[in-house]
Amino acid sequence: MSRDWADLSAIQKAAYNIDIDPVELPARVHVTKRSLYRLVNETAMPPQLAKRICYFYRRDYCCMDLPIPRICRGVVDCKGV
């Protein structure tokens, strides 16, 4: 996973000039699509912020075949990605 994160960080840096800090998950965390989906609680933030985050991570949702949260529908379109 650390290699994948490094690759993703490089892509985000090249595309958006944004540095992403490495993520260290606790050993007890079992990474699944569902657990990744639940990392961001869309109900705990304003809708416009959630949509901006959706837009920022749209390629990740598509390329990693992650479930698209309800609030991201209309912002994230995986056709042609």
Side-chain angles (χ1 to χ4, degrees), residues 20-58:
I20 301 174
D21 294 330
V23 172
E24 295 295 328
L25 295 175
R28 68 181 184 282
V29 174
H30 179 70
V31 177
T32 64
K33 284 184 185 181
R34 185 165 177 81
S35 68
L36 287 172
Y37 175 78
R38 298 177 68 183
L39 284 175
V40 175
N41 182 351
E42 67 189 52
T43 62
M45 63 184 78
Q48 285 306 106
L49 176 58
K51 288 180 181 184
R52 286 180 63 199
I53 293 170
C54 295
Y55 182 78
F56 181 78
Y57 286 105
R58 69 192 184 282

Side-chain angles (χ1 to χ4, degrees), residues 66-77:
L66 296 172
I68 299 172
R70 186 178 319 119
I71 199 159
C72 294
R73 295 180 188 146
V75 177
V76 177
D77 180 11

Side-chain angles (χ1 to χ4, degrees), residues 6-26:
D7 291 345
L8 176 62
S9 296
I11 292 167
Q12 295 294 350
K13 177 69 173 176
Y16 305 106
N17 196 28
I18 295 173
D19 292 315
I20 301 174
D21 294 330
V23 172
E24 295 295 328
L25 295 175

